[in-house]
Amino acid sequence: MAGLTSFSEVPNIDIAPLFGADPAAKAAVAGELAGAASDIGFMYVSGTGIDERVFAELLGAAKRFFAGSLETKMRTYIGNSTNHRGYVPEGEEVFAGMSADRKEAFDLCRDLPADDPDYLAGNPLLGPNQWPDLPGFEDAVADYYQQVFDVGVALMRAFAVAIGEAEDFFDRHVTKPPSQLRLIHYPFDESAEDRPGIGAHTDYECLTLLRGTAPGLEVLNGAGRWIDVPPVPGAYVVNIGDMLELLTNGRFVATTHRVRKVAQERYAFPLFFTVDYDTVVAPLPAFVDADTPARPALRAGEHLFAQTAQSFRYLRTRMADGTLVLPEGSVELSSFGHTAVQPA
């Protein structure tokens, strides 16, 4: 694994050239992204082209939804779905060590029709969303999803160039991916007391694009210190996930991060960008040598589902009663990133 530096801040990279036609400018941005992915695993990106009104409408929709009664929100409870979509009440999600954050969420992916063949075949992550009966909610959320997803495509093309592949290297693996958008609400809690390591984790996918409304996000540097990553106006926080770490055999690092327990109310909107469910992710030959043997390959969707199943109480209950079995070769939570080397 590449050695994480004892960084004290996260760089802000202008990715506007990725949407232009100048190969040299694109390559320069790809180099910046690769440097941050190797040394830190986190970065801000600006110049995405996403209008701030799109984010404002998403935030407004989220606030309206989370302001509803628990009874109303539970009408779209994630445990009622067969493809992991819907409302996540406080205490439903746990991390490695069985720590739970005080938060609620609403989870969705690309909204596929009910007659989608993968959904009908029982795929646990693909299919239609559960949408609340809330005027304007679906339109605002779906618009944001598509625009941030398109930025994710541009970033994956840049990372393809950075690792010595053709710009379209990932395109054939991004046709119907279970890339999840989460709407997360951390309520005001005047009694909040922080403890090191609570909620510390890596992300399971290729990369994450995040917008948040208040400080609280922290990343673990190579010296074992938590570094603040506060919101920057107009910028998105991007971090490397397990699958890009595996693809580069540890050259890029899925850095451990957490949300510090603070009294301030906070909203966060991560898009977890991944590849198609059946994509086999394995270290590329360029990153394998005698000193760095290849790590075992994973099937992208199976890894994502296995990590999800170990993180949600309703799925853990199904595992316990035998109605859900993890895919063969599934790894435990926190098997990637800095957590795997130095516990938080």
Side-chain angles (χ1 to χ4, degrees):
M1 177 181 291
L4 280 177
T5 62
S6 55
F7 60 89
S8 59
E9 60 183 9
V10 172
N12 192 336
I13 300 172
D14 181 1
I15 65 169
L18 299 184
F19 306 99
D22 184 346
K26 289 183 178 182
V29 173
E32 290 186 73
L33 293 170
S38 299
D39 297 338
I40 300 174
F42 265 77
M43 63 211 79
Y44 295 102
V45 298
S46 54
T48 64
I50 298 176
D51 195 301
E52 283 298 290
R53 289 176 295 181
V54 174
F55 176 70
E57 290 176 3
L58 171 76
L59 178 59
K63 288 182 174 180
R64 292 194 302 274
F65 173 76
F66 289 121
S69 68
L70 180 60
E71 178 184 8
T72 299
K73 291 180 287 192
M74 286 296 286
R75 292 172 187 164
T76 55
Y77 173 52
I78 197 166
N80 293 336
S81 73
T82 60
N83 59 340
H84 197 65
R85 313 285 178 92
Y87 176 63
V88 182
E90 184 178 327
E92 175 70 41
E93 186 180 10
V94 295
F95 293 108
M98 296 301 98
S99 61
D101 285 337
R102 188 179 178 199
K103 69 171 186 288
E104 57 182 341
F106 186 88
D107 293 353
L108 65 133
C109 288
R110 183 172 298 280
D111 198 16
L112 299 175
D115 62 355
D116 176 81
D118 290 309
Y119 175 64
L120 293 177
N123 187 291
L125 295 176
L126 297 176
N129 291 321
Q130 290 196 86
W131 293 110
D133 184 14
L134 190 64
F137 183 89
E138 180 178 348
D139 288 344
V141 174
D143 186 21
Y144 180 84
Y145 181 99
Q146 186 59 55
Q147 295 205 36
V148 178
F149 182 87
D150 290 345
V151 174
V153 170
L155 288 170
M156 291 295 286
R157 289 173 177 168
F159 279 121
V161 172
I163 61 178
E165 301 289 345
E167 186 178 28
D168 63 356
F169 177 72
F170 292 110
D171 287 6
R172 65 185 182 276
H173 300 299
V174 185
T175 63
K176 192 167 63 175
S179 298
Q180 181 190 70
L181 174 64
R182 305 200 78 192
L183 284 56
I184 308 175
H185 175 222
Y186 298 86
F188 173 76
D189 180 9
E190 63 181 4
S191 64
E193 292 184 4
D194 198 31
R195 288 180 289 157
I198 294 297
H201 64 287
T202 62
D203 292 340
Y204 318 137
E205 299 82 357
C206 292
L207 55 85
T208 303
L209 297 99
L210 169 75
R211 283 290 299 265
T213 62
L217 177 64
E218 295 182 325
V219 302
L220 190 66
N221 73 5
R225 291 180 51 238
W226 290 104
I227 305 301
D228 284 321
V229 186
V232 170
Y236 290 72
V237 177
V238 170
N239 63 275
I240 301 302
D242 294 352
M243 293 179 199
L244 274 184
E245 179 179 302
L246 177 58
L247 190 77
T248 61
N249 209 30
R251 179 72 60 83
F252 294 169
V253 184
T255 306
T256 298
H257 53 284
R258 67 170 186 159
V259 176
R260 187 177 68 252
K261 291 187 181 297
V262 295
Q264 187 174 7
E265 183 179 35
R266 180 175 181 267
Y267 293 86
F269 305 96
L271 174 75
F272 301 105
F273 193 100
T274 189
V275 289
D276 291 339
Y277 191 94
D278 290 324
T279 303
V280 176
V281 181
L284 294 170
F287 298 96
V288 178
D289 55 36
D291 296 325
T292 315
R295 301 180 183 186
L298 293 170
R299 193 173 296 274
E302 291 181 352
H303 172 65
L304 175 54
F305 180 67
Q307 296 291 286
T308 301
Q310 294 175 78
S311 304
F312 281 76
R313 296 189 188 277
Y314 86 94
L315 291 171
R316 291 177 61 84
T317 298
R318 295 177 189 176
M319 290 167 55
D321 65 21
T323 58
L324 179 94
V325 179
L326 293 183
E328 184 177 352
S330 298
V331 298
E332 295 181 354
L333 295 174
S334 292
S335 294
F336 286 79
H338 203 37
T339 302
V341 179
Q342 177 181 329

Coordinates of all heavy atoms in Angstrom, one line a residue, residues 157-206:
R157 N -12.9 8.9 -15.9 CA -12.1 9.0 -17.1 C -10.7 9.6 -16.8 O -9.7 9.2 -17.4 CB -12.9 9.8 -18.1 CG -14.1 9.1 -18.7 CD -15.0 9.9 -19.6 NE -16.1 9.1 -20.2 CZ -17.1 9.7 -20.8 NH1 -17.2 11.0 -21.0 NH2 -18.1 8.9 -21.3
A158 N -10.7 10.6 -15.9 CA -9.4 11.2 -15.6 C -8.5 10.2 -14.9 O -7.3 10.1 -15.1 CB -9.6 12.4 -14.7
F159 N -9.1 9.4 -14.0 CA -8.3 8.4 -13.2 C -7.8 7.3 -14.2 O -6.7 6.7 -14.0 CB -9.1 7.8 -12.1 CG -9.1 8.6 -10.9 CD1 -10.3 9.1 -10.3 CD2 -7.9 9.0 -10.2 CE1 -10.3 9.9 -9.2 CE2 -7.9 9.8 -9.1 CZ -9.1 10.2 -8.5
A160 N -8.6 7.0 -15.2 CA -8.2 6.0 -16.2 C -6.9 6.5 -16.9 O -5.9 5.8 -17.1 CB -9.3 5.8 -17.3
V161 N -6.9 7.8 -17.3 CA -5.6 8.4 -17.9 C -4.5 8.3 -16.9 O -3.4 8.0 -17.2 CB -5.9 9.8 -18.3 CG1 -4.6 10.5 -18.8 CG2 -7.0 9.8 -19.5
A162 N -4.8 8.6 -15.6 CA -3.8 8.7 -14.6 C -3.1 7.4 -14.3 O -1.9 7.3 -14.0 CB -4.4 9.2 -13.3
I163 N -3.8 6.3 -14.6 CA -3.2 4.9 -14.3 C -2.7 4.3 -15.6 O -2.4 3.1 -15.7 CB -4.2 4.0 -13.7 CG1 -5.5 3.8 -14.5 CG2 -4.6 4.5 -12.3 CD1 -6.4 2.8 -13.9
G164 N -2.6 5.1 -16.7 CA -2.0 4.7 -17.9 C -2.9 3.9 -18.9 O -2.5 3.3 -19.8
E165 N -4.2 4.1 -18.7 CA -5.2 3.5 -19.6 C -5.9 4.5 -20.5 O -5.7 5.7 -20.3 CB -6.3 2.7 -18.8 CG -5.7 1.7 -17.8 CD -5.2 0.4 -18.6 OE1 -5.5 0.3 -19.7 OE2 -4.5 -0.4 -17.9
A166 N -6.6 4.0 -21.5 CA -7.4 4.9 -22.3 C -8.4 5.6 -21.5 O -8.9 5.1 -20.5 CB -8.0 4.1 -23.5
E167 N -8.8 6.8 -22.0 CA -9.8 7.6 -21.2 C -11.1 6.9 -21.1 O -11.8 7.1 -20.0 CB -10.0 9.0 -22.0 CG -10.9 9.9 -21.2 CD -11.1 11.2 -22.0 OE1 -11.0 11.2 -23.2 OE2 -11.3 12.3 -21.3
D168 N -11.5 6.1 -22.0 CA -12.8 5.4 -21.9 C -12.6 4.0 -21.3 O -13.5 3.1 -21.4 CB -13.4 5.2 -23.3 CG -12.6 4.4 -24.3 OD1 -11.4 4.0 -23.9 OD2 -13.0 4.1 -25.4
F169 N -11.6 3.7 -20.6 CA -11.3 2.4 -20.0 C -12.4 1.9 -19.1 O -12.8 0.7 -19.1 CB -10.0 2.5 -19.1 CG -9.6 1.3 -18.4 CD1 -9.2 0.1 -19.1 CD2 -9.8 1.2 -17.0 CE1 -8.8 -1.0 -18.4 CE2 -9.4 0.0 -16.3 CZ -9.0 -1.1 -17.0
F170 N -13.0 2.8 -18.3 CA -14.1 2.4 -17.4 C -15.5 2.5 -18.0 O -16.5 2.0 -17.4 CB -14.1 3.3 -16.1 CG -12.9 3.1 -15.2 CD1 -11.9 4.1 -15.1 CD2 -12.7 2.0 -14.5 CE1 -10.8 4.0 -14.3 CE2 -11.6 1.8 -13.7 CZ -10.7 2.8 -13.6
D171 N -15.6 3.1 -19.2 CA -17.0 3.4 -19.7 C -17.8 2.1 -19.9 O -19.0 2.1 -19.6 CB -16.9 4.1 -21.1 CG -16.4 5.5 -20.9 OD1 -16.1 6.0 -19.8 OD2 -16.4 6.2 -22.0
R172 N -17.2 1.0 -20.3 CA -18.0 -0.2 -20.6 C -18.4 -0.9 -19.3 O -19.2 -1.8 -19.3 CB -17.1 -1.2 -21.4 CG -15.9 -1.7 -20.7 CD -15.1 -2.6 -21.6 NE -13.9 -3.2 -21.0 CZ -12.7 -2.5 -20.9 NH1 -12.6 -1.3 -21.4 NH2 -11.7 -3.1 -20.4
H173 N -17.9 -0.4 -18.1 CA -18.2 -1.0 -16.8 C -19.2 0.0 -16.1 O -19.5 -0.3 -14.9 CB -17.0 -1.2 -16.0 CG -16.0 -2.2 -16.6 ND1 -16.4 -3.5 -16.9 CD2 -14.7 -2.0 -17.0 CE1 -15.3 -4.1 -17.5 NE2 -14.3 -3.2 -17.5
V174 N -19.6 1.0 -16.7 CA -20.5 2.0 -16.1 C -21.8 2.2 -16.9 O -22.1 3.2 -17.4 CB -19.8 3.4 -15.9 CG1 -20.7 4.3 -15.1 CG2 -18.5 3.2 -15.1
T175 N -22.5 1.1 -17.1 CA -23.7 1.1 -17.9 C -25.0 1.1 -17.1 O -26.0 1.7 -17.4 CB -23.8 -0.1 -18.9 OG1 -23.8 -1.3 -18.1 CG2 -22.6 -0.1 -19.8
K176 N -24.9 0.4 -15.9 CA -26.1 0.4 -15.0 C -25.6 0.1 -13.6 O -25.9 -0.9 -12.9 CB -27.1 -0.7 -15.4 CG -28.4 -0.6 -14.7 CD -29.5 -1.5 -15.4 CE -29.2 -3.0 -15.4 NZ -30.3 -3.8 -15.9
P177 N -24.7 1.0 -13.1 CA -24.1 0.7 -11.8 C -25.0 1.0 -10.6 O -25.8 2.0 -10.7 CB -22.8 1.6 -11.8 CG -23.3 2.8 -12.6 CD -24.2 2.2 -13.7
P178 N -24.8 0.3 -9.5 CA -25.6 0.6 -8.3 C -25.0 1.8 -7.5 O -24.7 1.6 -6.3 CB -25.6 -0.7 -7.5 CG -24.3 -1.3 -7.9 CD -24.1 -0.9 -9.4
S179 N -24.7 2.9 -8.2 CA -24.1 4.1 -7.5 C -25.2 4.7 -6.6 O -26.2 5.2 -7.1 CB -23.6 5.0 -8.6 OG -22.6 4.4 -9.3
Q180 N -24.9 4.8 -5.4 CA -25.9 5.2 -4.4 C -25.7 6.7 -4.0 O -24.6 7.1 -3.7 CB -25.9 4.3 -3.1 CG -26.9 4.7 -2.1 CD -26.6 4.0 -0.8 OE1 -25.6 4.3 -0.1 NE2 -27.4 3.0 -0.4
L181 N -26.9 7.4 -4.0 CA -26.9 8.7 -3.4 C -27.5 8.6 -2.0 O -28.6 8.0 -1.9 CB -27.7 9.7 -4.2 CG -27.9 11.1 -3.7 CD1 -26.6 11.9 -3.5 CD2 -28.8 11.9 -4.6
R182 N -26.9 9.2 -1.0 CA -27.5 9.3 0.4 C -27.8 10.7 0.7 O -27.0 11.6 0.6 CB -26.5 8.7 1.4 CG -26.0 7.3 1.1 CD -25.5 6.7 2.4 NE -26.6 6.2 3.2 CZ -26.5 5.8 4.5 NH1 -25.3 5.9 5.1 NH2 -27.6 5.4 5.2
L183 N -29.0 10.9 1.3 CA -29.4 12.2 1.9 C -29.3 11.9 3.4 O -30.0 11.1 3.9 CB -30.8 12.6 1.5 CG -31.1 13.1 0.1 CD1 -30.6 12.2 -1.0 CD2 -32.6 13.4 -0.1
I184 N -28.4 12.6 4.1 CA -28.1 12.3 5.5 C -28.4 13.5 6.3 O -28.0 14.6 6.0 CB -26.6 11.8 5.7 CG1 -26.3 10.7 4.7 CG2 -26.4 11.4 7.1 CD1 -24.8 10.3 4.8
H185 N -29.1 13.3 7.4 CA -29.4 14.4 8.4 C -28.8 14.0 9.7 O -29.2 13.0 10.3 CB -30.9 14.5 8.5 CG -31.4 15.5 9.5 ND1 -32.4 15.3 10.4 CD2 -30.9 16.7 9.8 CE1 -32.6 16.3 11.2 NE2 -31.7 17.2 10.8
Y186 N -27.9 14.8 10.2 CA -27.4 14.7 11.6 C -28.1 15.8 12.4 O -27.9 17.0 12.2 CB -25.9 15.0 11.6 CG -25.1 14.0 10.8 CD1 -24.8 14.2 9.4 CD2 -24.5 12.9 11.4 CE1 -24.1 13.4 8.7 CE2 -23.7 12.0 10.7 CZ -23.5 12.3 9.3 OH -22.8 11.4 8.6
P187 N -29.0 15.4 13.3 CA -29.8 16.4 14.0 C -29.0 17.1 15.0 O -27.9 16.7 15.5 CB -30.9 15.5 14.7 CG -30.3 14.2 14.8 CD -29.4 14.0 13.6
F188 N -29.5 18.3 15.4 CA -28.9 19.0 16.5 C -28.9 18.2 17.8 O -29.9 17.6 18.2 CB -29.7 20.3 16.8 CG -29.2 21.1 18.0 CD1 -28.0 21.8 17.9 CD2 -29.9 21.1 19.2 CE1 -27.6 22.5 19.1 CE2 -29.5 21.8 20.3 CZ -28.3 22.5 20.2
D189 N -27.8 18.2 18.5 CA -27.7 17.4 19.7 C -26.7 18.1 20.7 O -25.5 18.0 20.6 CB -27.1 16.0 19.4 CG -27.0 15.1 20.7 OD1 -27.5 15.5 21.8 OD2 -26.4 14.0 20.6
E190 N -27.3 18.9 21.6 CA -26.5 19.7 22.5 C -25.6 18.9 23.4 O -24.7 19.4 24.0 CB -27.4 20.7 23.2 CG -28.3 20.0 24.2 CD -29.2 21.1 24.9 OE1 -29.1 22.3 24.6 OE2 -30.0 20.6 25.8
S191 N -26.0 17.6 23.6 CA -25.2 16.8 24.5 C -24.2 15.9 23.8 O -23.6 15.0 24.4 CB -26.2 15.8 25.3 OG -26.8 15.0 24.4
A192 N -24.0 16.2 22.5 CA -23.1 15.3 21.7 C -21.7 15.3 22.3 O -21.1 16.4 22.6 CB -23.0 15.8 20.3
E193 N -21.1 14.2 22.5 CA -19.7 14.0 23.0 C -19.0 13.1 22.0 O -19.4 12.0 21.8 CB -19.7 13.4 24.4 CG -20.3 14.3 25.5 CD -20.2 13.7 26.9 OE1 -19.6 12.6 27.0 OE2 -20.7 14.3 27.8
D194 N -17.9 13.6 21.5 CA -17.1 12.8 20.6 C -16.2 11.9 21.2 O -15.7 12.1 22.3 CB -16.3 13.8 19.7 CG -15.9 13.2 18.4 OD1 -16.6 12.3 17.9 OD2 -14.8 13.6 17.9
R195 N -16.0 10.7 20.5 CA -15.0 9.7 21.0 C -14.2 9.3 19.7 O -14.8 9.0 18.7 CB -15.7 8.5 21.6 CG -16.3 8.8 23.0 CD -17.0 7.5 23.5 NE -18.2 7.2 22.8 CZ -18.7 6.0 22.7 NH1 -18.1 5.0 23.3 NH2 -19.9 5.8 22.0
P196 N -12.9 9.2 19.9 CA -12.1 8.8 18.7 C -12.5 7.5 18.1 O -12.8 6.5 18.8 CB -10.7 8.7 19.3 CG -10.7 9.6 20.5 CD -12.1 9.4 21.0
G197 N -12.6 7.4 16.8 CA -12.9 6.2 16.1 C -14.3 5.9 15.8 O -14.6 5.0 15.1
I198 N -15.2 6.5 16.5 CA -16.7 6.2 16.3 C -17.1 6.6 14.9 O -16.9 7.7 14.4 CB -17.5 7.0 17.3 CG1 -17.2 6.5 18.7 CG2 -19.0 6.8 17.0 CD1 -17.6 5.1 19.0
G199 N -17.6 5.6 14.2 CA -18.1 5.8 12.8 C -16.9 5.8 11.8 O -17.2 6.1 10.7
A200 N -15.7 5.5 12.2 CA -14.6 5.5 11.3 C -14.7 4.3 10.3 O -15.1 3.2 10.6 CB -13.3 5.3 12.0
H201 N -14.5 4.6 9.0 CA -14.7 3.7 7.9 C -14.1 4.1 6.6 O -13.7 5.3 6.5 CB -16.3 3.5 7.7 CG -16.9 4.7 7.2 ND1 -17.2 5.8 8.0 CD2 -17.4 5.0 5.9 CE1 -17.8 6.7 7.2 NE2 -17.9 6.3 6.0
T202 N -14.0 3.2 5.7 CA -13.7 3.6 4.3 C -15.0 3.4 3.5 O -16.0 2.8 3.9 CB -12.6 2.7 3.7 OG1 -13.1 1.3 3.7 CG2 -11.3 2.8 4.5
D203 N -15.0 3.9 2.3 CA -16.2 3.7 1.4 C -15.9 2.5 0.5 O -14.8 2.3 0.0 CB -16.4 5.0 0.6 CG -16.9 6.2 1.4 OD1 -17.3 5.9 2.6 OD2 -16.8 7.3 1.0
Y204 N -17.0 1.8 0.2 CA -16.9 0.5 -0.5 C -16.7 0.6 -2.0 O -16.3 -0.3 -2.6 CB -18.1 -0.3 -0.2 CG -18.6 -0.3 1.2 CD1 -20.0 -0.2 1.5 CD2 -17.7 -0.3 2.3 CE1 -20.5 -0.1 2.8 CE2 -18.2 -0.2 3.6 CZ -19.6 -0.1 3.8 OH -20.0 -0.1 5.1
E205 N -17.0 1.8 -2.6 CA -17.1 1.9 -4.0 C -15.8 2.4 -4.7 O -14.8 2.2 -4.1 CB -18.3 2.8 -4.4 CG -19.7 2.3 -3.9 CD -19.9 2.6 -2.4 OE1 -19.1 3.2 -1.7 OE2 -21.0 2.3 -2.0
C206 N -15.9 3.0 -5.9 CA -14.7 3.5 -6.5 C -14.3 4.8 -6.0 O -13.1 5.1 -5.6 CB -15.0 3.6 -8.0 SG -15.2 2.0 -8.9

